[in-house]
Amino acid sequence: MHLNISDSTESFYLRNFRTVLNKVHDEGLIGPTSRWFQDVNTSIGHSTKTYDGKLNRDLMLKIESLDLSGNKNDALVRDMFMFGFYCGGMELIDLANLEYSNLTDGVLTYRRRLKGLERKVMLGEQALKIIKRYKGESNKYLFPLLSKSESALFASVRNYVCQSLKNIGRAVNYPRLSFNMNIAAYHFIMSEVNIPELLLKR
């Protein structure tokens, strides 16, 4: 039976299945799992073709300035999307699991869940404003996405995140908006900026 799903969706479920198998293995309930996914591609492509030259600085400013005061869920998802952009691009799973322990003196330190690489990011003014906006809504997480239920499946919260992104995309006339585009947008916009000239600008 053929399922009409995108490559990224298929990859998402395969990665989650692999994570579950590894956890079960770590608890000694099953044998080795290292070879189970050796011929399966669970990577996610971040091609700049995704946004066809439209997800530029002006569009990101529109997303940032949207008045979403009437929809708390959409506002949270927009802020997480922009926070990821301000941090040089972040996956949703990394953003959702950020804790206060990851933040020290304005420096965010976290380990990427999909690749295991550690990143350190010096947060700017806009990123710090977003964190302050949600301070106190969770005793553990920077963003109160998973705080309502510690046992909540990431897949379940991802569903309403995707719906909020559709709402946000329609509001800025870009209905195909997806979360990993904060990464693509960051690299695209940075490629158009002459950093040395910007640093010397008076």
Side-chain angles (χ1 to χ4, degrees):
M1 179 176 66
H2 176 70
L3 298 178
N4 186 24
I5 60 175
S6 67
D7 291 341
S8 61
T9 299
E10 179 181 330
S11 175
F12 168 77
Y13 285 112
L14 285 172
R15 292 196 314 276
N16 278 274
F17 181 49
R18 180 178 59 187
T19 299
V20 171
L21 289 176
N22 287 336
K23 183 174 180 61
V24 173
H25 170 260
D26 291 342
E27 294 179 359
L29 300 177
I30 60 175
T33 64
S34 59
R35 296 179 58 83
W36 289 8
F37 287 83
Q38 63 178 357
D39 296 321
V40 179
N41 181 13
T42 59
S43 63
I44 300 178
H46 298 302
S47 172
T48 56
K49 295 180 181 180
T50 305
Y51 49 93
D52 298 325
K54 296 179 182 178
L55 198 57
N56 52 28
R57 181 177 180 273
D58 290 339
L59 183 54
M60 293 300 291
L61 287 172
K62 287 182 180 179
I63 295 173
E64 178 191 52
S65 61
L66 278 175
D67 180 5
L68 299 173
S69 56
N71 190 317
K72 189 174 182 180
N73 286 344
D74 287 1
L76 172 61
V77 171
R78 185 274 308 278
D79 287 343
M80 292 178 69
F81 183 88
M82 293 306 304
F83 185 86
F85 171 77
Y86 295 138
C87 291
M90 288 183 68
E91 297 279 0
L92 173 60
I93 191 169
D94 292 327
L95 280 160
N97 285 279
L98 288 178
E99 301 179 8
Y100 284 103
S101 59
N102 295 117
L103 185 62
T104 304
D105 296 328
V107 177
L108 185 71
T109 304
Y110 70 98
R111 191 169 296 278
R112 297 180 64 182
R113 287 181 170 256
L114 298 183
K115 296 185 178 180
L117 302 176
E118 185 179 86
R119 288 189 66 195
K120 288 182 179 290
V121 183
M122 177 84 66
L123 300 184
E125 180 181 354
Q126 296 302 321
L128 290 171
K129 280 183 179 179
I130 291 175
I131 290 179
K132 186 177 181 180
R133 193 172 298 154
Y134 296 96
K135 188 175 182 179
E137 293 195 24
S138 170
N139 293 325
K140 180 179 180 181
Y141 297 106
L142 289 183
F143 299 104
L145 193 65
L146 301 176
S147 59
K148 293 182 180 180
S149 174
E150 291 289 340
S151 60
L153 293 176
F154 177 73
S156 66
V157 299
R158 183 176 183 269
N159 289 336
Y160 96 72
V161 165
C162 289
Q163 182 55 55
S164 288
L165 276 177
K166 288 181 180 179
N167 298 339
I168 295 166
R170 284 193 292 266
V172 296
N173 198 28
Y174 193 77
R176 293 175 297 161
L177 190 66
S178 63
F179 212 93
N180 64 352
M181 286 184 184
N182 79 67
I183 302 172
Y186 173 81
H187 291 293
F188 175 68
I189 293 172
M190 289 299 290
S191 72
E192 294 193 322
V193 176
N194 188 317
I195 298 297
E197 288 188 11
L198 184 63
L199 291 175
L200 295 178
K201 186 175 181 180
R202 292 179 174 84

